[in-house]
Amino acid sequence: FPVTIVGGACSGKDYLKNILKSYGFDTSISYTTRRQRESETMGIDYFFIDDAKFMEYVSYGYFYEWADFNGSKYGTTHTEWNAINPNKIFIMTPQPLEIMSDKDRRKCLVIYLKTNDEERINRMLLRGASETEIHERICADDLIYKDFKNYDICFTDLAIK
């Protein structure tokens, strides 16, 4: 069954995704409007597009799910979702899980990474985030994950090596 990883900024989502990839899992490639990181490759990590193009795709109904998170948009296409195979990994926020059909929700395993703020702040600092960015991301995550319970497994403070 496909795995959907959910968690706040710098909670370890990419780390877990890469571990699963090393065991033969395949990753979905989402679209995003956020800035591309130096370590990321277009078409492998994400499809990086501007806000206007993203909203054009939304208007065409191109996305199975999409969310606006902390000023950036993320979306999974219908093609990517419907091509689900038993070894597919998705990274999402709670928002799409809430609107997902019961049938689609039952066919994926949702793993929630709950990492303490101190560790997440340290990871954001290592990525070069400003204090303002860190504060905004922590506050946004506090709101988004406050009552989140739509998961199958929760890892608390996943150690990253």
Side-chain angles (χ1 to χ4, degrees):
F1 41 83
V3 173
T4 301
I5 303 170
V6 209
C10 291
S11 60
K13 297 180 298 293
D14 287 327
Y15 176 75
L16 180 57
K17 175 186 78 172
N18 290 330
I19 289 173
L20 294 172
K21 279 176 66 174
S22 74
Y23 284 92
F25 280 79
D26 185 25
T27 58
S28 71
I29 304 171
S30 299
Y31 283 75
T32 185
T33 61
R34 79 158 168 73
R35 181 180 48 83
Q36 183 176 349
R37 296 181 189 134
E38 281 186 32
S39 63
E40 295 173 324
T41 304
M42 171 71 142
I44 292 177
D45 298 294
Y46 287 98
F47 293 108
F48 296 94
I49 59 175
D50 64 29
D51 204 61
K53 181 57 100 178
F54 193 97
M55 293 313 295
E56 180 182 330
Y57 286 172
V58 168
S59 72
Y60 294 151
Y62 188 60
F63 295 119
Y64 169 76
E65 63 81 19
W66 70 276
D68 191 328
F69 175 71
N70 202 29
S72 297
K73 294 173 180 56
Y74 298 83
T76 304
T77 65
H78 285 281
T79 303
E80 191 73 14
W81 180 259
N82 291 325
I84 281 182
N85 66 56
N87 295 325
K88 195 76 152 181
I89 305 166
F90 294 87
I91 293 179
M92 294 183 181
T93 63
Q95 182 183 0
L97 293 171
E98 298 305 321
I99 60 171
M100 189 179 284
S101 71
D102 288 341
K103 178 184 171 199
D104 284 347
R105 174 58 183 90
R106 282 192 304 272
K107 63 181 172 180
C108 63
L109 173 72
V110 177
I111 299 174
Y112 174 33
L113 302 181
K114 189 174 184 177
T115 305
N116 71 71
D117 288 350
E118 182 180 348
E119 180 63 29
R120 293 174 56 222
I121 289 167
N122 287 336
R123 293 174 187 172
M124 285 185 241
L125 287 169
L126 287 172
R127 285 187 179 175
S130 70
E131 286 189 29
T132 302
E133 288 173 310
I134 292 170
H135 177 74
E136 288 172 355
R137 293 183 84 179
I138 295 289
C139 289
D141 285 343
D142 286 348
L143 289 174
I144 291 170
Y145 291 96
K146 179 180 163 203
D147 297 316
F148 179 62
K149 293 182 179 39
N150 190 5
Y151 56 86
D152 302 300
I153 299 171
C154 178
F155 291 119
T156 302
D157 294 330
L158 182 67
I160 294 180
K161 298 177 182 178

